[in-house]
Amino acid sequence: MTRNRSMKIASVAAFLAIVFIAVPAAISLSGRIDLYYTLTSVALLSIASAGVWLTFYIGRINIGQGAYALMGGYVSAILVMNHGWSFWPTIPVAGLLCAAASVLIGLPILRLRGVYFAMVTLTLTEVARLLALALPITNGAKGIVSIPLPGALSVFGLTIIPDFATLQNSRLAFYLLAVTLMVVCFAVMYRLVQSRIGKLCQSLQQNEELASSIGVNIAYLRVIAYAVSSFFGGVAGAIFAAISQSIYPSSFTVTDSVNFMLNCFLGGLGYVFGPMLGTLVLYFGWDLLFQTGRLQLLIYSGLMIVLMLVLPNGLLSLAETTRKKA
C-alpha cells in the first residue's frame, strides 16, 4: 500500500513538473510559441471531456456537452462586455449557471437511458446554437467580439494574477491558467470517484434497480453528476471565449459534443484520467492527418475503429496490461 502511494505521488509530481516547467521550457527553446495555444486548447477540451466522462460514470451517454460550453462562453462574454464584470468571477458564475440549467434540463431527461438519453442530449447543442442565433443578447450570427483580455486579479490589494494585456506573452499566461484548472478539475474528479458518492455513482452504472432497492437516492445522484459535468463544460467555454476574444453560435457544435465523447472512449472510460490522454491524442492525431488531404477523415475514422477493436478499454488499459505482465 505504501509503495503504491509513493508511486502515485511520484507520478503526480512528474506530471506537474512536465506541464508547468518542462513544456514551457521546451517551447521557449524551440521558439514555437504557437504551441501554447494548441496545448491550452487541449487542456480546456480535457476539462469539458472530463464532464462527459462523469456522466458515463453514472451510466449515461452524454453528447450534449457542447451546449454547456457554448452557454458558458456566452455568459462570460455578456457579463464582461455588457455589464463591465472582471473576467475572473465570470468563470465560476458561468459554471454555476450551466450547472443550474443542467439541473432543470436533467430532472426530466435523466430518467431516460441508453440511446434515448444520448439522442436527447445530442439535440441540446443544436438547440443552444439556434438560441444563440435568435436571442438579441447574444448578437445573433455576428456573435460577441473584441472581448478584452483578462485584467488583474487582486485580493486585499495584493495582485495575484497580473493584467494579461500588460504581459509580454499572454499565450503563456493562458496556458498556465488552463493547465492549472485542468489539474484542479481532475483532482476533484479523482477525489469524487474515490469518495462514498463516487462508489454510489458507480453502482448506478452497474444496476440502478438494485442500487435503488438498497436505499440509494438514484435521482439525486444522477442530477448531481450531470450538474458537475455541466459546470466543467461552462468553465471551459468561458475561458475559450477569453482566449479567442470572441464567441459565436458556431463556436461549439454537435461535432464538438461528439468529440468530447470520443475523447473519453479513446482514453478509457474506466480511468479518471482517460479524457486527458484521449483529448491529447485525438487533437494532435487529427492535426497530423491534415497532410493527407481528402483522406484525412477516412484514415481518422479507420484508426478510431481499429483502436476501439484492439483496445476496447481505451489507451490507458494498455499501460495497465503492461504493468500486470511485468
Side-chain angles (χ1 to χ4, degrees), residues 153-227:
L153 176 63
S154 301
V155 178
F156 301 116
L158 178 65
T159 301
I160 299 175
I161 301 175
D163 187 339
F164 279 29
T166 64
L167 298 176
Q168 185 177 1
N169 188 358
S170 61
R171 292 187 178 185
L172 172 60
F174 274 119
Y175 167 78
L176 294 175
L177 169 64
V179 295
T180 299
L181 288 178
M182 181 185 71
V183 168
V184 172
C185 164
F186 280 93
V188 170
M189 287 277 291
Y190 181 80
R191 185 66 188 91
L192 180 63
V193 168
Q194 298 300 319
S195 68
R196 179 176 176 272
I197 293 179
K199 301 303 180 185
L200 292 176
C201 287
Q202 191 175 25
S203 70
L204 303 187
Q205 183 185 128
Q206 303 297 327
N207 192 319
E208 284 192 1
E209 288 75 14
L210 182 59
S212 179
S213 68
I214 60 175
V216 176
N217 189 339
I218 59 175
Y220 171 78
L221 289 176
R222 286 188 303 223
V223 171
I224 289 296
Y226 193 51

Side-chain angles (χ1 to χ4, degrees), residues 32 284-297 299-300:
R32 290 287 307 276
F284 279 97
W286 178 257
D287 283 350
L288 289 173
L289 290 174
F290 181 77
Q291 304 299 327
T292 61
R294 290 186 295 178
L295 295 176
Q296 181 184 22
L297 186 58
I299 297 173
Y300 170 82

Side-chain angles (χ1 to χ4, degrees), residues 45-319:
L45 292 173
S46 297
I47 295 173
S49 299
V52 176
W53 183 92
L54 188 58
T55 54
F56 274 112
Y57 196 68
I58 61 170
R60 294 293 186 274
I61 304 173
N62 181 6
I63 323 179
Q65 189 73 327
Y68 298 107
L70 185 65
M71 179 179 175
Y74 268 109
V75 167
S76 176
I78 290 170
L79 290 176
V80 170
M81 296 294 289
N82 296 359
H83 300 282
W85 281 40
S86 168
F87 164 72
W88 302 106
T90 69
I91 298 177
V93 169
L96 290 172
L97 286 178
C98 288
S102 71
V103 170
L104 296 176
I105 296 170
L107 286 173
I109 70 171
L110 283 168
R111 299 173 182 271
L112 303 173
R113 300 183 189 179
V115 68
Y116 303 105
F117 180 81
M119 289 300 99
V120 171
T121 57
L122 182 62
T123 63
L124 286 179
T125 306
E126 187 63 15
V127 169
R129 186 185 71 85
L130 293 175
L131 282 174
L133 280 170
L135 294 176
I137 195 172
T138 59
N139 206 24
K142 295 180 180 178
I144 300 175
V145 297
S146 301
I147 301 173
L149 291 173
L153 176 63
S154 301
V155 178
F156 301 116
L158 178 65
T159 301
I160 299 175
I161 301 175
D163 187 339
F164 279 29
T166 64
L167 298 176
Q168 185 177 1
N169 188 358
S170 61
R171 292 187 178 185
L172 172 60
F174 274 119
Y175 167 78
L176 294 175
L177 169 64
V179 295
T180 299
L181 288 178
M182 181 185 71
V183 168
V184 172
C185 164
F186 280 93
V188 170
M189 287 277 291
Y190 181 80
R191 185 66 188 91
L192 180 63
V193 168
Q194 298 300 319
S195 68
R196 179 176 176 272
I197 293 179
K199 301 303 180 185
L200 292 176
C201 287
Q202 191 175 25
S203 70
L204 303 187
Q205 183 185 128
Q206 303 297 327
N207 192 319
E208 284 192 1
E209 288 75 14
L210 182 59
S212 179
S213 68
I214 60 175
V216 176
N217 189 339
I218 59 175
Y220 171 78
L221 289 176
R222 286 188 303 223
V223 171
I224 289 296
Y226 193 51
V228 174
S229 166
S230 304
F231 178 86
F232 288 154
V235 167
I239 303 174
F240 258 119
I243 293 174
S244 60
Q245 295 185 269
S246 60
I247 184 77
Y248 299 94
S250 59
S251 294
F252 291 95
T253 63
V254 172
T255 302
D256 295 301
S257 291
V258 173
N259 284 334
F260 292 145
M261 180 183 65
L262 290 178
N263 293 338
C264 300
F265 280 127
L266 185 59
L269 292 177
Y271 307 91
V272 176
F273 302 104
M276 189 189 300
L277 178 61
T279 303
L280 181 68
V281 173
L282 208 59
Y283 195 97
F284 279 97
W286 178 257
D287 283 350
L288 289 173
L289 290 174
F290 181 77
Q291 304 299 327
T292 61
R294 290 186 295 178
L295 295 176
Q296 181 184 22
L297 186 58
L298 178 63
I299 297 173
Y300 170 82
S301 304
L303 288 175
M304 286 295 295
I305 293 171
V306 170
L307 283 172
M308 295 301 175
L309 292 174
V310 177
L311 296 171
N313 295 321
L315 294 173
L316 284 178
S317 66
L318 184 62

